[in-house]
Amino acid sequence: MKGMTVQPNEITDSKREVAVLGLGAMGTALATGFLRAGHPTTVWNRTRQRGEGLVKLGAAPADSVDEAVVAAGLVVVSLLDASAVFEVLNQVPQLEGRTVINLTSTTPEQAERISTAVIERGGSAVIGAVMVTPPMVATDDAVVLYSGDRSAFDEHRATLAALGGEATWVGDEPGAASLLDLAMLDLFYGSVTAFIHAVALARVKGMSAGEFLPFAQRMFDLAALTATELAEDVDSLRYPGDENNLAMMLRSAEHLVEVSIAEELDPAVPETTRRLMQAAVDAGHAGEGYGRIIKHLHAPPPQIDG
Ligand SMILES: NC(=O)c1ccc[n+]([C@@H]2O[C@H](COP(=O)([O-])OP(=O)(O)OC[C@H]3O[C@@H](n4cnc5c(N)ncnc54)[C@H](OP(=O)(O)O)[C@@H]3O)[C@@H](O)[C@H]2O)c1
C-alpha cells in the first residue's frame, strides 16, 4: 500500500468527488480505485475502523451516512445485501442532486425497490453489478455492469472509469444488471458444480483431480463452442438434431445418474439434466437438439422433499 496516498496536487477540477458507503472487501477496493484515480473520496462504514486504511490513502472519513452523501454528487453503495442498503438509505431523507450507484448484489426485484427508494428521495439511481473479485477492481480485467438511469450513468462515466476495465451499460430497467449478474453466476455455479461432480466420478477409478483436469478443459472448450450453436437455435426457435439428438443424449444422462447412484454420489446434478431431456423426449422432441430443453424450464418444477 506504500506510495498510494493521493497527493493534493493530483486532485484537479475534472476529478469529481465520490462517496463510498460500505467498506467491506469490495467497497474498500472501489474506494481505493477512486482514490488512485485522484478523485476526492469520502468513505463511510457502519464499523468505522474498517475505513482506517483508506483514510491513510487520503480518503475523508464521514461520521454518518448523511455526512458522506453531502460530500459528493456521486454516491457508490457496496453493502452486504439489499436489507443493508435499505437500512443505510433510511438514514438519508434527501438525495436531491445526487446520483446513487448501487453496486451491492441483489435480485432484480430488490434492485427495482432500491431504485425507487433513491428516486423518492430526489436522487438519480443507477444499479450495477461488479462481476470480478476485489483485487481485479481498477485493473484492465474489471467488468462492471450498469442499468437504470442512463443519463446519470453518462454524466458519471468518466469517474466510473476509475474502476477499470469495461463499464458495460445493460439497459434502462433498474433490475437489468442484477439479472445479467445472476445469469452469469448461474452459468458459473452450474459449471463448477458439474466440474466437481465429474471430478468425484473420475476419482472412483483412482484418477486425481489434476489428472482429470486436461480432459475437463477439453469439455469446457466444447461447451463454449456448443453455446454458440445453442444460442442460434434458441433465438431462431429451431432445434436441429441431425448430428446429435435428445433421444441419444438422454441415454448418456441416464448412465450418469445410474453410475452416480451406484458409486454413492449425489445424482442431483446429472438428474436435473436427465429430467429436462426426458421431458422434451416425452413431449415428442426425441429427434431434436439440446436447445429444445429450454421449453421445459418453464414447466412447474418437481416437488422437493424436506
Ligand atoms: N467480494 C467479492 O468477491 C464480490 C464480488 C462481486 C460482488 N460482490 C458484492 O459486493 C457487495 C459487498 O461485498 P463484500 O465482499 O464487500 O462484503 P463484506 O466484505 O462482507 O462487507 C459487507 C459490508 O456490508 C456492511 N453491512 C452489512 N450489513 C450492514 C447493515 N445492516 N448496515 C450497514 N452496513 C452493513 C458491512 O459493514 P461492517 O463492516 O460494519 O460489518 C461491510 O461494509 C456484496 O453485495 C457482494 O455480493 C462481492
Side-chain angles (χ1 to χ4, degrees):
M1 294 302 232
K2 213 176 159 193
M4 278 172 45
T5 306
V6 178
Q7 300 304 319
N9 62 5
E10 290 175 67
I11 299 170
T12 66
D13 285 348
S14 65
K15 297 294 183 184
R16 294 195 185 172
E17 291 90 355
V18 182
V20 179
L21 308 181
L23 305 174
M26 185 52 80
T28 299
L30 298 168
T32 304
F34 289 122
L35 284 165
R36 277 183 176 162
H39 292 282
T41 304
T42 301
V43 292
W44 175 87
N45 195 57
R46 180 180 61 177
T47 311
R48 192 187 158 102
Q49 305 88 285
R50 230 168 157 176
E52 283 169 0
L54 288 163
V55 172
K56 285 191 187 134
L57 293 182
D63 285 330
S64 66
V65 180
D66 224 13
E67 189 185 316
V69 165
V70 165
L74 178 63
V75 180
V76 174
V77 182
S78 175
L79 297 166
L80 183 64
D81 56 18
S83 64
V85 176
F86 286 116
E87 215 173 290
V88 166
L89 282 180
N90 285 338
Q91 296 170 41
V92 271
Q94 239 272 69
L95 285 167
E96 199 69 47
R98 301 286 174 271
T99 290
V100 174
I101 302 202
N102 176 57
L103 295 179
T104 308
S105 305
T106 69
T107 66
E109 187 268 336
Q110 289 167 336
E112 300 269 351
R113 288 197 288 119
I114 290 168
S115 174
T116 303
V118 170
I119 294 165
E120 280 172 356
R121 288 165 175 74
S124 305
V126 173
I127 311 286
V130 183
M131 303 303 304
V132 293
T133 56
M136 291 165 78
V137 169
T139 71
D140 289 347
D141 294 328
V143 178
V144 187
L145 311 176
Y146 297 94
S147 56
D149 186 330
R150 177 70 197 240
S151 60
F153 169 72
D154 286 339
E155 190 192 333
H156 294 286
R157 200 170 193 145
T159 305
L160 295 170
L163 302 182
E166 279 177 64
T168 306
W169 183 254
V170 175
D172 298 344
E173 292 279 335
S178 308
L179 189 63
L180 186 55
D181 178 24
L182 288 174
M184 288 166 77
L185 276 178
D186 189 9
L187 183 58
F188 181 73
Y189 288 152
S191 309
V192 294
T193 306
F195 172 68
I196 295 295
H197 186 275
V199 165
L201 211 50
R203 277 160 41 115
V204 163
K205 296 286 183 210
M207 193 180 237
S208 72
E211 285 165 339
F212 177 64
L213 187 61
F215 296 95
Q217 280 164 338
R218 276 190 213 167
M219 293 314 275
F220 279 128
D221 289 346
L222 181 61
L225 279 176
T226 306
T228 307
E229 291 168 15
L230 289 177
E232 283 168 18
D233 294 352
V234 168
D235 284 346
S236 66
L237 306 175
R238 289 181 58 257
Y239 313 99
D242 313 333
E243 289 171 8
N244 32 52
N245 62 50
L246 281 165
M248 175 278 288
M249 289 185 279
L250 178 59
R251 291 291 165 273
S252 310
E254 286 168 350
H255 296 160
L256 265 171
V257 173
E258 223 176 281
V259 74
S260 298
I261 293 168
E263 298 299 341
E264 299 185 337
L265 296 175
D266 187 331
V269 174
E271 172 52 19
T272 302
T273 306
R274 190 210 62 76
R275 179 173 57 76
L276 288 165
M277 288 188 189
Q278 184 72 63
V281 168
D282 290 348
H285 305 286
E288 294 184 48
Y290 198 79
R292 186 62 179 67
I293 67 167
I294 196 162
K295 303 267 186 194
H296 301 279
L297 287 173
H298 299 283
Q303 292 288 317
I304 296 168
D305 293 333

